[in-house]
């Protein structure tokens, strides 16, 4: 059974010159115990999607769609008090920057307790004991003492653990992790992602893992959605995606990853030519067509629809014959 | 912390002594002295009479001797003697202090509490009608001169409506006692306290509103929303607490400058406080009294600033005294 079902979600900004679409026609579902990665470069609509799922978009951003179903209830039809009661208890979020995401004048313990008292009531003493237990669960050493610390006294890794404890306090069905490790150094990164994975398996939580880092996706996600300029261009299992990416953008992304270069020889870093189009300057056809080596007139005039292919979904006019055209991308990469 | 306090107290001592020195010489720059004023008032000013007065007041001596004697007295906490009033300065000030503290306390309490409430309400309803009304009124009071407000309040509430007394602190003729006296003082207090507090009320309202709106955009407020915290609790626990620092800063400024405002308001409302005493001392060239009041005022300023520093550390754990 899927815990989260998103159907045709679109997010746009209302401006004096009309609507600017930031996320178009996003559909996906998320099962218990599954990690779905949403990958894309900055500004492609990843974080907006996360805020939309929590019902936290603020004007001028508006969302439309055929429904966001959280455990069967359509969030788009619920009123604000009901949404509030779900936020933090059934669907929770971990933010990117654990320094600014925590209130500087409250102790970390109080901030964890707050989730419990707001959603489940009960006495302060019981909430405090649970908060300490949560801090131990996310492996914060010396939790009892750290309970009374203020955020600025903790390291980045510990602060992110506090965020995780907060997010998991009421055992949510869905956890959204928006670039949870971007602000942390690499060794801490792995620890935090492993922690999220362990807790997910223990509680059967569904995780939407938002990142721009393909390297993390391979190890920590079951399925991957690649987003480009507000649309999902390829959705596959992580194994399939890395073995044989079928959308030219995904191929470019994977080719652009710096390898360790086992041969010792320095390889030239591949890049995707051009830049992401602005919201107000989207091409008529496929948004990737101006940067795509395979683009033809069809791509430049018609937006490709998502089709089921190779155990996933791909939105490209030419994905089926992509292997035959492969030399073309090599040439461009080396030129 | 203890080291911080010890160092601060040393600095306070030096600062206060410096202020006293500057006050002393500044006031002696002004032409005329107490003897001239008294002689002028009595109408008969012979040279011998004035010389006798000057000798009696000790102002016939060279300035540096007068200064050394003044500092010497200060170091033994002796504020001097007012020949004009025929009383020690300390005793004079002790008589007037309660009235001024009452006025300052009530006007500050009014400005801070109401300003925080109004600013809070305006920030919660930013852009809506309640916000527009509050912000417009705040701007109006911010821009209106204090003396004009005082006179207008008297015109409306004392002269036209006859609800409140025009001035003074008590109705002497009525001879109230106990609770009746307290009620009488309270009725006399309303207009001067409102006049003195209105300007700062406007400042606090604008400050709390602006600073809350700023905090509302910070990441941790978004986190609180994502946690499902109720809007009221977000506003009070997360936003307001973080928005209070500038209020404390302004409170320090207000308390430091309030004596200046009190001079005006106490004179307009004939409130028997230190402000009016300072005003009269200035006109009578009663330098000992004036220096005494200014000295105590400087003490208030430095200690309020110290208190503000200490309150910062309570409000924001990131601030540490070193």
């Amino acid at each position: 059974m899927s815990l989260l079902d998103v159907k045709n979600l679109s997010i746009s900004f209302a401006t004096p010159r009309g609507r600017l679409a930031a996320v178009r026609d996003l559909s996906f579902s998320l099962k218990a115990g599954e990690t779905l990665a949403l990958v894309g470069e900055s500004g492609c609509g990843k974080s907006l999607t996360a805020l939309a799922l929590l019902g936290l978009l603020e004007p001028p951003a508006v969302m439309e769609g055929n429904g966001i179903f959280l455990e069967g209830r359509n969030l788009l039809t619920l009123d604000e008090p009901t949404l509030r009661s779900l936020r933090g208890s059934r669907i929770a979020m971990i933010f990117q920057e654990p320094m600014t995401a925590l209130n500087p004048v409250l102790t970390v313990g109080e901030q964890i307790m707050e989730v419990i008292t707001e959603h489940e009531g009960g006495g302060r003493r019981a909430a405090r004991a649970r908060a300490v237990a949560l801090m131990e669960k996310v492996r914060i050493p010396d939790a009892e003492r750290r309970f009374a610390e203020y955020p600025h006294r903790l390291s980045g890794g510990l602060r992110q653990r506090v965020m995780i404890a907060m997010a998991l306090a009421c055992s949510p069905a869905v956890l959204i992790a928006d670039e949870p490790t971007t602000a942390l150094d690499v060794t801490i990164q792995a620890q935090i992602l492993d922690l999220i994975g362990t807790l997910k398996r223990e509680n059967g939580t569904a995780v939407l893992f938002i990142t721009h880092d393909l390297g993390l996706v391979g190890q920590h996600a079951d399925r991957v959605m690649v987003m480009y300029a507000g649309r999902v261009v390829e959705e596959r299992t992580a194994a399939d995606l890395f073995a044989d990416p079928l959308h030219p953008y995904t191929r470019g992304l994977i080719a652009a990853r710096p390898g360790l270069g086992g041969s010792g020889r320095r390889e030239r870093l591949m890049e995707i030519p051009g830049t992401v189009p602005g919201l107000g300057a989207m091409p008529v056809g496929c948004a990737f067509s101006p940067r795509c080596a395979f683009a033809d007139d069809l791509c430049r005039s018609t937006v490709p629809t998502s089709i089921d292919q190779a155990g996933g979904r791909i939105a490209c006019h030419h994905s089926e014959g992509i292997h035959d055209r492969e030399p073309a991308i090599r040439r461009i990469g080396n030129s | 912390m203890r080291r911080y306090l010890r160092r601060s107290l040393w600095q306070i001592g030096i600062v206060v002594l410096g202020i006293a020195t500057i006050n002393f010489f500044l006031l002696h720059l002004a032409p005329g002295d107490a003897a001239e004023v008294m002689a002028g008032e009595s109408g008969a000013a012979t040279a011998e009479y004035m010389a006798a007065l000057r000798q009696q007041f000790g102002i016939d001596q060279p300035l540096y001797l007068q200064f050394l004697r003044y500092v010497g007295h200060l170091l033994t906490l002796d504020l001097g003697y007012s020949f004009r009033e025929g009383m020690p300065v300390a005793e004079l000030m002790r008589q007037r202090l309660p009235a001024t503290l009452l006025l300052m306390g009530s006007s500050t309490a009014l400005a801070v509490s109401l300003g925080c409430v109004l600013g809070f309400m305006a920030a919660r309803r930013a852009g809506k009608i309640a916000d527009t009304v509050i912000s417009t009124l705040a701007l109006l009071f911010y821009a209106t001169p204090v003396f004009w407000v005082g006179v207008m309040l008297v015109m409306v509430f004392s002269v036209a409506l006859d609800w409140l007394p025009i001035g003074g602190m008590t109705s002497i003729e009525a001879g109230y006692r106990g609770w009746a006296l307290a009620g009488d003082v309270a009725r006399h207090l309303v207009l001067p306290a409102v006049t003195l507090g209105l300007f700062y009320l406007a400042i606090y309202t604008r400050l709390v509103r602006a600073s809350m709106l700023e905090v509302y955009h910070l990441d941790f407020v978004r986190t609180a929303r994502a946690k499902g915290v109720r809007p009221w609790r977000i506003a009070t626990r997360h936003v307001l607490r973080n928005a209070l620092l500038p209020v404390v800063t302004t409170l320090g400024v207000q308390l430091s400058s309030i004596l200046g405002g009190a001079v005006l308001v106490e004179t307009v409302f004939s409130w028997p406080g230190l402000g009016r005493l300072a005003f009269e001392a200035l006109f009578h060239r009663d330098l000992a009294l004036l220096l005494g009041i200014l000295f105590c005022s400087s003490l208030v300023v430095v200690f309020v600033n110290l208190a503000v520093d200490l309150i910062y550390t309570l409000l924001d754990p990131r601030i540490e005294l070193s």
Side-chain angles (χ1 to χ4, degrees), chain A residues 94-283:
Chain A
I94 302 169
F95 291 94
Q96 179 171 347
E97 188 43 81
M99 180 73 242
T100 57
L102 291 171
N103 188 332
V105 304
L106 297 177
T107 65
V108 294
E110 285 175 300
Q111 298 188 56
I112 299 172
M113 262 175 69
E114 190 173 35
V115 189
I116 300 163
T117 53
E118 284 289 279
H119 290 292
E120 295 172 14
R124 278 185 62 84
R125 185 170 298 180
R128 188 184 191 284
R130 268 184 65 189
V132 173
L134 278 162
M135 290 171 73
E136 279 162 0
K137 199 170 168 193
V138 297
R139 299 175 187 55
I140 294 177
D142 210 355
E144 188 66 45
R145 188 174 58 84
R146 292 257 161 67
F147 182 92
E149 286 289 17
Y150 290 95
H152 72 282
R153 311 259 300 176
L154 300 183
S155 68
L158 282 183
R159 280 196 290 255
Q160 198 57 295
R161 284 172 198 268
V162 170
M163 283 296 296
I164 296 172
M166 248 160 59
L168 296 178
C170 297
S171 311
V174 176
L175 174 69
I176 303 171
D178 184 4
E179 308 257 12
T181 57
T182 308
L184 307 176
D185 59 45
V186 182
T187 49
I188 309 295
Q189 242 180 34
Q191 292 173 11
I192 293 289
L193 290 173
D194 288 343
L195 175 67
I196 294 177
T198 311
L199 297 172
K200 175 196 81 169
R201 279 188 295 280
E202 281 173 11
N203 304 332
T205 315
V207 177
L208 179 66
F209 175 35
I210 298 176
T211 182
H212 64 270
D213 190 341
L214 269 181
L216 297 177
V217 169
Q219 304 156 35
H220 297 278
D222 304 309
R223 274 189 304 138
V224 185
M225 285 194 296
V226 180
M227 208 174 192
Y228 183 78
R231 278 180 201 274
V232 173
V233 294
E234 179 161 2
E235 183 188 338
R236 308 276 298 281
T237 65
D240 286 356
L241 187 95
F242 284 96
D244 183 21
L246 289 177
H247 192 282
Y249 176 60
T250 320
R251 294 181 85 84
L253 279 185
I254 290 175
R257 285 196 301 158
L260 271 180
S263 61
R265 186 168 57 90
R266 250 207 228 167
E267 281 178 57
R268 198 192 155 108
L269 198 63
M270 303 281 237
E271 56 168 355
I272 303 175
T275 54
V276 187
L279 286 188
M282 282 294 165

Side-chain angles (χ1 to χ4, degrees), chain A residues 56 58 84 87-88 95 100-105 110-111 114-115 118-119 150 152 166, chain B residues 219-220 222-223 225-231 233 237-238 241-242 315-318 320:
Chain A
L56 286 179
E58 282 182 41
R84 185 197 68 75
R87 280 199 289 264
F95 291 94
T100 57
L102 291 171
N103 188 332
V105 304
E110 285 175 300
Q111 298 188 56
E114 190 173 35
V115 189
E118 284 289 279
H119 290 292
Y150 290 95
H152 72 282
M166 248 160 59
Chain B
D219 284 356
F220 63 79
R222 194 186 55 190
T223 308
R225 286 205 181 98
K227 287 198 303 196
V229 180
R230 266 171 288 250
R233 200 175 154 88
R237 195 158 186 247
H238 291 274
R241 261 207 71 184
N242 278 281
L315 279 180
D316 191 337
R318 285 169 298 179
E320 281 170 21

